PDB file of all heavy atoms in Angstrom:
ATOM      1  N   ILE A  21     133.421  16.503 123.812  1.00  0.00           N
ATOM      2  CA  ILE A  21     134.094  17.727 124.250  1.00  0.00           C
ATOM      3  C   ILE A  21     134.642  18.389 122.996  1.00  0.00           C
ATOM      4  O   ILE A  21     135.367  17.763 122.216  1.00  0.00           O
ATOM      5  CB  ILE A  21     135.241  17.453 125.234  1.00  0.00           C
ATOM      6  CG1 ILE A  21     134.720  16.845 126.528  1.00  0.00           C
ATOM      7  CG2 ILE A  21     136.005  18.746 125.531  1.00  0.00           C
ATOM      8  CD1 ILE A  21     135.802  16.519 127.541  1.00  0.00           C
ATOM      9  N   LEU A  22     134.279  19.635 122.791  1.00  0.00           N
ATOM     10  CA  LEU A  22     134.809  20.422 121.686  1.00  0.00           C
ATOM     11  C   LEU A  22     135.860  21.349 122.269  1.00  0.00           C
ATOM     12  O   LEU A  22     135.574  22.092 123.204  1.00  0.00           O
ATOM     13  CB  LEU A  22     133.703  21.248 121.016  1.00  0.00           C
ATOM     14  CG  LEU A  22     132.437  20.499 120.621  1.00  0.00           C
ATOM     15  CD1 LEU A  22     131.413  21.461 120.044  1.00  0.00           C
ATOM     16  CD2 LEU A  22     132.754  19.395 119.638  1.00  0.00           C
ATOM     17  N   GLU A  23     137.058  21.301 121.735  1.00  0.00           N
ATOM     18  CA  GLU A  23     138.123  22.161 122.235  1.00  0.00           C
ATOM     19  C   GLU A  23     137.946  23.546 121.643  1.00  0.00           C
ATOM     20  O   GLU A  23     138.145  23.749 120.454  1.00  0.00           O
ATOM     21  CB  GLU A  23     139.490  21.579 121.891  1.00  0.00           C
ATOM     22  CG  GLU A  23     139.753  20.234 122.530  1.00  0.00           C
ATOM     23  CD  GLU A  23     139.727  20.266 124.058  1.00  0.00           C
ATOM     24  OE1 GLU A  23     140.070  21.303 124.657  1.00  0.00           O
ATOM     25  OE2 GLU A  23     139.344  19.238 124.657  1.00  0.00           O
ATOM     26  N   GLY A  24     137.552  24.495 122.501  1.00  0.00           N
ATOM     27  CA  GLY A  24     137.229  25.847 122.048  1.00  0.00           C
ATOM     28  C   GLY A  24     138.374  26.832 122.135  1.00  0.00           C
ATOM     29  O   GLY A  24     138.154  28.030 122.077  1.00  0.00           O
ATOM     30  N   GLY A  25     139.593  26.370 122.299  1.00  0.00           N
ATOM     31  CA  GLY A  25     140.738  27.259 122.411  1.00  0.00           C
ATOM     32  C   GLY A  25     141.325  27.195 123.804  1.00  0.00           C
ATOM     33  O   GLY A  25     140.971  26.344 124.619  1.00  0.00           O
ATOM     34  N   THR A  26     142.206  28.135 124.094  1.00  0.00           N
ATOM     35  CA  THR A  26     142.865  28.154 125.403  1.00  0.00           C
ATOM     36  C   THR A  26     142.402  29.343 126.236  1.00  0.00           C
ATOM     37  O   THR A  26     143.120  29.807 127.107  1.00  0.00           O
ATOM     38  CB  THR A  26     144.391  28.189 125.230  1.00  0.00           C
ATOM     39  OG1 THR A  26     144.732  29.340 124.456  1.00  0.00           O
ATOM     40  CG2 THR A  26     144.896  26.934 124.562  1.00  0.00           C
ATOM     41  N   PHE A  27     141.215  29.828 125.982  1.00  0.00           N
ATOM     42  CA  PHE A  27     140.647  30.960 126.698  1.00  0.00           C
ATOM     43  C   PHE A  27     139.235  30.605 127.148  1.00  0.00           C
ATOM     44  O   PHE A  27     138.684  29.578 126.758  1.00  0.00           O
ATOM     45  CB  PHE A  27     140.604  32.200 125.798  1.00  0.00           C
ATOM     46  CG  PHE A  27     141.964  32.720 125.437  1.00  0.00           C
ATOM     47  CD1 PHE A  27     142.662  32.208 124.358  1.00  0.00           C
ATOM     48  CD2 PHE A  27     142.543  33.733 126.184  1.00  0.00           C
ATOM     49  CE1 PHE A  27     143.911  32.690 124.017  1.00  0.00           C
ATOM     50  CE2 PHE A  27     143.793  34.227 125.851  1.00  0.00           C
ATOM     51  CZ  PHE A  27     144.479  33.704 124.770  1.00  0.00           C
ATOM     52  N   ASP A  28     138.635  31.499 127.938  1.00  0.00           N
ATOM     53  CA  ASP A  28     137.256  31.291 128.371  1.00  0.00           C
ATOM     54  C   ASP A  28     136.312  31.324 127.179  1.00  0.00           C
ATOM     55  O   ASP A  28     136.403  32.216 126.335  1.00  0.00           O
ATOM     56  CB  ASP A  28     136.820  32.377 129.359  1.00  0.00           C
ATOM     57  CG  ASP A  28     137.491  32.247 130.712  1.00  0.00           C
ATOM     58  OD1 ASP A  28     137.863  31.113 131.074  1.00  0.00           O
ATOM     59  OD2 ASP A  28     137.633  33.262 131.405  1.00  0.00           O
ATOM     60  N   VAL A  29     135.411  30.344 127.117  1.00  0.00           N
ATOM     61  CA  VAL A  29     134.338  30.348 126.123  1.00  0.00           C
ATOM     62  C   VAL A  29     133.154  31.016 126.819  1.00  0.00           C
ATOM     63  O   VAL A  29     132.520  30.431 127.678  1.00  0.00           O
ATOM     64  CB  VAL A  29     133.978  28.920 125.661  1.00  0.00           C
ATOM     65  CG1 VAL A  29     132.859  28.973 124.624  1.00  0.00           C
ATOM     66  CG2 VAL A  29     135.203  28.209 125.108  1.00  0.00           C
ATOM     67  N   HIS A  30     132.897  32.271 126.471  1.00  0.00           N
ATOM     68  CA  HIS A  30     131.908  33.069 127.199  1.00  0.00           C
ATOM     69  C   HIS A  30     130.484  32.905 126.706  1.00  0.00           C
ATOM     70  O   HIS A  30     129.547  33.043 127.480  1.00  0.00           O
ATOM     71  CB  HIS A  30     132.271  34.550 127.146  1.00  0.00           C
ATOM     72  CG  HIS A  30     133.245  34.929 128.194  1.00  0.00           C
ATOM     73  ND1 HIS A  30     132.895  35.110 129.499  1.00  0.00           N
ATOM     74  CD2 HIS A  30     134.581  35.128 128.137  1.00  0.00           C
ATOM     75  CE1 HIS A  30     133.959  35.419 130.201  1.00  0.00           C
ATOM     76  NE2 HIS A  30     134.994  35.430 129.394  1.00  0.00           N
ATOM     77  N   THR A  31     130.314  32.658 125.435  1.00  0.00           N
ATOM     78  CA  THR A  31     128.972  32.645 124.881  1.00  0.00           C
ATOM     79  C   THR A  31     128.815  31.492 123.903  1.00  0.00           C
ATOM     80  O   THR A  31     129.722  31.201 123.134  1.00  0.00           O
ATOM     81  CB  THR A  31     128.685  33.963 124.128  1.00  0.00           C
ATOM     82  OG1 THR A  31     128.813  35.048 125.032  1.00  0.00           O
ATOM     83  CG2 THR A  31     127.307  33.981 123.533  1.00  0.00           C
ATOM     84  N   LEU A  32     127.659  30.867 123.958  1.00  0.00           N
ATOM     85  CA  LEU A  32     127.273  29.842 122.998  1.00  0.00           C
ATOM     86  C   LEU A  32     125.932  30.222 122.400  1.00  0.00           C
ATOM     87  O   LEU A  32     125.083  30.787 123.094  1.00  0.00           O
ATOM     88  CB  LEU A  32     127.115  28.482 123.678  1.00  0.00           C
ATOM     89  CG  LEU A  32     128.333  27.866 124.340  1.00  0.00           C
ATOM     90  CD1 LEU A  32     127.924  26.624 125.124  1.00  0.00           C
ATOM     91  CD2 LEU A  32     129.388  27.517 123.304  1.00  0.00           C
ATOM     92  N   CYS A  33     125.729  29.880 121.150  1.00  0.00           N
ATOM     93  CA  CYS A  33     124.381  29.995 120.569  1.00  0.00           C
ATOM     94  C   CYS A  33     124.228  28.932 119.496  1.00  0.00           C
ATOM     95  O   CYS A  33     125.198  28.517 118.861  1.00  0.00           O
ATOM     96  CB  CYS A  33     124.094  31.393 120.041  1.00  0.00           C
ATOM     97  SG  CYS A  33     125.109  31.942 118.666  1.00  0.00           S
ATOM     98  N   LEU A  34     123.004  28.490 119.338  1.00  0.00           N
ATOM     99  CA  LEU A  34     122.666  27.451 118.366  1.00  0.00           C
ATOM    100  C   LEU A  34     121.839  28.037 117.236  1.00  0.00           C
ATOM    101  O   LEU A  34     120.972  28.891 117.477  1.00  0.00           O
ATOM    102  CB  LEU A  34     121.825  26.365 119.028  1.00  0.00           C
ATOM    103  CG  LEU A  34     122.545  25.228 119.719  1.00  0.00           C
ATOM    104  CD1 LEU A  34     121.556  24.368 120.479  1.00  0.00           C
ATOM    105  CD2 LEU A  34     123.328  24.389 118.736  1.00  0.00           C
ATOM    106  N   SER A  35     122.079  27.555 116.032  1.00  0.00           N
ATOM    107  CA  SER A  35     121.214  27.929 114.916  1.00  0.00           C
ATOM    108  C   SER A  35     119.822  27.357 115.176  1.00  0.00           C
ATOM    109  O   SER A  35     119.662  26.415 115.945  1.00  0.00           O
ATOM    110  CB  SER A  35     121.774  27.391 113.597  1.00  0.00           C
ATOM    111  OG  SER A  35     121.844  25.984 113.628  1.00  0.00           O
ATOM    112  N   SER A  36     118.820  27.936 114.538  1.00  0.00           N
ATOM    113  CA  SER A  36     117.436  27.513 114.795  1.00  0.00           C
ATOM    114  C   SER A  36     117.185  26.053 114.450  1.00  0.00           C
ATOM    115  O   SER A  36     116.326  25.410 115.049  1.00  0.00           O
ATOM    116  CB  SER A  36     116.448  28.411 114.048  1.00  0.00           C
ATOM    117  OG  SER A  36     116.717  28.389 112.660  1.00  0.00           O
ATOM    118  N   ASN A  37     117.950  25.476 113.510  1.00  0.00           N
ATOM    119  CA  ASN A  37     117.773  24.057 113.183  1.00  0.00           C
ATOM    120  C   ASN A  37     118.595  23.151 114.096  1.00  0.00           C
ATOM    121  O   ASN A  37     118.554  21.940 113.967  1.00  0.00           O
ATOM    122  CB  ASN A  37     118.094  23.788 111.708  1.00  0.00           C
ATOM    123  CG  ASN A  37     119.555  24.003 111.358  1.00  0.00           C
ATOM    124  OD1 ASN A  37     120.406  24.235 112.220  1.00  0.00           O
ATOM    125  ND2 ASN A  37     119.848  23.932 110.066  1.00  0.00           N
ATOM    126  N   GLY A  38     119.384  23.744 115.016  1.00  0.00           N
ATOM    127  CA  GLY A  38     120.160  22.967 115.977  1.00  0.00           C
ATOM    128  C   GLY A  38     121.379  22.275 115.408  1.00  0.00           C
ATOM    129  O   GLY A  38     121.982  21.449 116.066  1.00  0.00           O
ATOM    130  N   ARG A  39     121.785  22.632 114.200  1.00  0.00           N
ATOM    131  CA  ARG A  39     122.898  21.937 113.560  1.00  0.00           C
ATOM    132  C   ARG A  39     124.236  22.660 113.682  1.00  0.00           C
ATOM    133  O   ARG A  39     125.278  22.043 113.636  1.00  0.00           O
ATOM    134  CB  ARG A  39     122.569  21.702 112.087  1.00  0.00           C
ATOM    135  CG  ARG A  39     121.370  20.765 111.928  1.00  0.00           C
ATOM    136  CD  ARG A  39     120.968  20.578 110.504  1.00  0.00           C
ATOM    137  NE  ARG A  39     122.025  19.900 109.765  1.00  0.00           N
ATOM    138  CZ  ARG A  39     122.069  19.847 108.449  1.00  0.00           C
ATOM    139  NH1 ARG A  39     121.137  20.429 107.733  1.00  0.00           N
ATOM    140  NH2 ARG A  39     123.042  19.214 107.839  1.00  0.00           N
ATOM    141  N   ILE A  40     124.201  23.987 113.837  1.00  0.00           N
ATOM    142  CA  ILE A  40     125.426  24.769 113.924  1.00  0.00           C
ATOM    143  C   ILE A  40     125.482  25.465 115.286  1.00  0.00           C
ATOM    144  O   ILE A  40     124.536  26.130 115.703  1.00  0.00           O
ATOM    145  CB  ILE A  40     125.509  25.829 112.797  1.00  0.00           C
ATOM    146  CG1 ILE A  40     125.415  25.170 111.424  1.00  0.00           C
ATOM    147  CG2 ILE A  40     126.780  26.665 112.937  1.00  0.00           C
ATOM    148  CD1 ILE A  40     126.572  24.259 111.080  1.00  0.00           C
ATOM    149  N   LEU A  41     126.604  25.294 115.963  1.00  0.00           N
ATOM    150  CA  LEU A  41     126.862  25.936 117.246  1.00  0.00           C
ATOM    151  C   LEU A  41     127.921  27.007 117.024  1.00  0.00           C
ATOM    152  O   LEU A  41     128.899  26.776 116.311  1.00  0.00           O
ATOM    153  CB  LEU A  41     127.376  24.900 118.253  1.00  0.00           C
ATOM    154  CG  LEU A  41     127.821  25.422 119.609  1.00  0.00           C
ATOM    155  CD1 LEU A  41     126.612  25.834 120.438  1.00  0.00           C
ATOM    156  CD2 LEU A  41     128.645  24.368 120.330  1.00  0.00           C
ATOM    157  N   ALA A  42     127.729  28.177 117.627  1.00  0.00           N
ATOM    158  CA  ALA A  42     128.746  29.226 117.617  1.00  0.00           C
ATOM    159  C   ALA A  42     129.254  29.394 119.036  1.00  0.00           C
ATOM    160  O   ALA A  42     128.466  29.424 119.986  1.00  0.00           O
ATOM    161  CB  ALA A  42     128.159  30.539 117.103  1.00  0.00           C
ATOM    162  N   SER A  43     130.581  29.484 119.189  1.00  0.00           N
ATOM    163  CA  SER A  43     131.190  29.709 120.498  1.00  0.00           C
ATOM    164  C   SER A  43     132.072  30.948 120.425  1.00  0.00           C
ATOM    165  O   SER A  43     132.890  31.083 119.517  1.00  0.00           O
ATOM    166  CB  SER A  43     132.001  28.491 120.935  1.00  0.00           C
ATOM    167  OG  SER A  43     133.073  28.237 120.058  1.00  0.00           O
ATOM    168  N   ALA A  44     131.881  31.856 121.384  1.00  0.00           N
ATOM    169  CA  ALA A  44     132.631  33.108 121.422  1.00  0.00           C
ATOM    170  C   ALA A  44     133.595  33.088 122.593  1.00  0.00           C
ATOM    171  O   ALA A  44     133.226  32.701 123.699  1.00  0.00           O
ATOM    172  CB  ALA A  44     131.662  34.275 121.563  1.00  0.00           C
ATOM    173  N   THR A  45     134.857  33.504 122.342  1.00  0.00           N
ATOM    174  CA  THR A  45     135.891  33.359 123.349  1.00  0.00           C
ATOM    175  C   THR A  45     136.692  34.634 123.582  1.00  0.00           C
ATOM    176  O   THR A  45     136.601  35.605 122.828  1.00  0.00           O
ATOM    177  CB  THR A  45     136.888  32.254 122.940  1.00  0.00           C
ATOM    178  OG1 THR A  45     137.554  32.673 121.758  1.00  0.00           O
ATOM    179  CG2 THR A  45     136.194  30.942 122.691  1.00  0.00           C
ATOM    180  N   ASP A  46     137.520  34.557 124.629  1.00  0.00           N
ATOM    181  CA  ASP A  46     138.424  35.653 124.974  1.00  0.00           C
ATOM    182  C   ASP A  46     139.672  35.702 124.097  1.00  0.00           C
ATOM    183  O   ASP A  46     140.542  36.525 124.320  1.00  0.00           O
ATOM    184  CB  ASP A  46     138.861  35.542 126.444  1.00  0.00           C
ATOM    185  CG  ASP A  46     137.865  36.150 127.394  1.00  0.00           C
ATOM    186  OD1 ASP A  46     136.922  36.829 126.931  1.00  0.00           O
ATOM    187  OD2 ASP A  46     138.006  35.951 128.606  1.00  0.00           O
ATOM    188  N   ASP A  47     139.777  34.821 123.112  1.00  0.00           N
ATOM    189  CA  ASP A  47     140.922  34.911 122.201  1.00  0.00           C
ATOM    190  C   ASP A  47     140.556  35.703 120.948  1.00  0.00           C
ATOM    191  O   ASP A  47     141.215  35.610 119.923  1.00  0.00           O
ATOM    192  CB  ASP A  47     141.472  33.532 121.840  1.00  0.00           C
ATOM    193  CG  ASP A  47     140.525  32.694 120.996  1.00  0.00           C
ATOM    194  OD1 ASP A  47     139.365  33.113 120.787  1.00  0.00           O
ATOM    195  OD2 ASP A  47     140.929  31.604 120.562  1.00  0.00           O
ATOM    196  N   GLN A  48     139.482  36.484 121.046  1.00  0.00           N
ATOM    197  CA  GLN A  48     139.015  37.375 119.979  1.00  0.00           C
ATOM    198  C   GLN A  48     138.506  36.620 118.756  1.00  0.00           C
ATOM    199  O   GLN A  48     138.625  37.087 117.633  1.00  0.00           O
ATOM    200  CB  GLN A  48     140.106  38.372 119.584  1.00  0.00           C
ATOM    201  CG  GLN A  48     140.569  39.220 120.756  1.00  0.00           C
ATOM    202  CD  GLN A  48     141.605  40.250 120.378  1.00  0.00           C
ATOM    203  OE1 GLN A  48     142.083  40.297 119.252  1.00  0.00           O
ATOM    204  NE2 GLN A  48     141.950  41.091 121.332  1.00  0.00           N
ATOM    205  N   THR A  49     137.929  35.438 119.000  1.00  0.00           N
ATOM    206  CA  THR A  49     137.371  34.668 117.888  1.00  0.00           C
ATOM    207  C   THR A  49     135.994  34.107 118.234  1.00  0.00           C
ATOM    208  O   THR A  49     135.621  33.999 119.396  1.00  0.00           O
ATOM    209  CB  THR A  49     138.257  33.466 117.492  1.00  0.00           C
ATOM    210  OG1 THR A  49     138.281  32.534 118.563  1.00  0.00           O
ATOM    211  CG2 THR A  49     139.664  33.901 117.133  1.00  0.00           C
ATOM    212  N   VAL A  50     135.291  33.751 117.178  1.00  0.00           N
ATOM    213  CA  VAL A  50     134.085  32.935 117.270  1.00  0.00           C
ATOM    214  C   VAL A  50     134.359  31.715 116.418  1.00  0.00           C
ATOM    215  O   VAL A  50     134.880  31.822 115.311  1.00  0.00           O
ATOM    216  CB  VAL A  50     132.839  33.689 116.755  1.00  0.00           C
ATOM    217  CG1 VAL A  50     131.655  32.747 116.579  1.00  0.00           C
ATOM    218  CG2 VAL A  50     132.479  34.832 117.694  1.00  0.00           C
ATOM    219  N   ARG A  51     134.033  30.560 116.967  1.00  0.00           N
ATOM    220  CA  ARG A  51     134.194  29.319 116.214  1.00  0.00           C
ATOM    221  C   ARG A  51     132.813  28.754 115.909  1.00  0.00           C
ATOM    222  O   ARG A  51     131.914  28.820 116.748  1.00  0.00           O
ATOM    223  CB  ARG A  51     135.005  28.317 117.020  1.00  0.00           C
ATOM    224  CG  ARG A  51     136.476  28.651 117.100  1.00  0.00           C
ATOM    225  CD  ARG A  51     137.219  27.698 118.021  1.00  0.00           C
ATOM    226  NE  ARG A  51     138.648  27.903 117.988  1.00  0.00           N
ATOM    227  CZ  ARG A  51     139.286  28.886 118.622  1.00  0.00           C
ATOM    228  NH1 ARG A  51     138.609  29.738 119.348  1.00  0.00           N
ATOM    229  NH2 ARG A  51     140.594  29.011 118.528  1.00  0.00           N
ATOM    230  N   LEU A  52     132.680  28.198 114.714  1.00  0.00           N
ATOM    231  CA  LEU A  52     131.450  27.510 114.324  1.00  0.00           C
ATOM    232  C   LEU A  52     131.716  26.015 114.371  1.00  0.00           C
ATOM    233  O   LEU A  52     132.804  25.551 114.019  1.00  0.00           O
ATOM    234  CB  LEU A  52     131.019  27.920 112.919  1.00  0.00           C
ATOM    235  CG  LEU A  52     130.671  29.402 112.741  1.00  0.00           C
ATOM    236  CD1 LEU A  52     130.341  29.686 111.285  1.00  0.00           C
ATOM    237  CD2 LEU A  52     129.537  29.807 113.645  1.00  0.00           C
ATOM    238  N   TRP A  53     130.698  25.271 114.800  1.00  0.00           N
ATOM    239  CA  TRP A  53     130.814  23.823 114.962  1.00  0.00           C
ATOM    240  C   TRP A  53     129.650  23.131 114.289  1.00  0.00           C
ATOM    241  O   TRP A  53     128.509  23.584 114.404  1.00  0.00           O
ATOM    242  CB  TRP A  53     130.793  23.463 116.446  1.00  0.00           C
ATOM    243  CG  TRP A  53     131.829  24.146 117.264  1.00  0.00           C
ATOM    244  CD1 TRP A  53     131.698  25.364 117.893  1.00  0.00           C
ATOM    245  CD2 TRP A  53     133.142  23.686 117.538  1.00  0.00           C
ATOM    246  NE1 TRP A  53     132.857  25.665 118.545  1.00  0.00           N
ATOM    247  CE2 TRP A  53     133.763  24.658 118.355  1.00  0.00           C
ATOM    248  CE3 TRP A  53     133.851  22.537 117.196  1.00  0.00           C
ATOM    249  CZ2 TRP A  53     135.061  24.518 118.818  1.00  0.00           C
ATOM    250  CZ3 TRP A  53     135.145  22.399 117.658  1.00  0.00           C
ATOM    251  CH2 TRP A  53     135.746  23.378 118.458  1.00  0.00           C
ATOM    252  N   ASN A  54     129.934  22.020 113.626  1.00  0.00           N
ATOM    253  CA  ASN A  54     128.899  21.123 113.145  1.00  0.00           C
ATOM    254  C   ASN A  54     128.528  20.274 114.357  1.00  0.00           C
ATOM    255  O   ASN A  54     129.307  19.425 114.784  1.00  0.00           O
ATOM    256  CB  ASN A  54     129.436  20.263 112.000  1.00  0.00           C
ATOM    257  CG  ASN A  54     128.432  19.257 111.501  1.00  0.00           C
ATOM    258  OD1 ASN A  54     127.734  18.616 112.276  1.00  0.00           O
ATOM    259  ND2 ASN A  54     128.386  19.096 110.199  1.00  0.00           N
TER     260      ASN A  54
END
């Protein structure tokens, strides 16, 4: 479980190599994940 903040995580996308995940939220941020 990746804690994506205290808001809705609306969008996810993966890099083409599958190593980096981006999560977009209602707290006006995008987080990158290994």
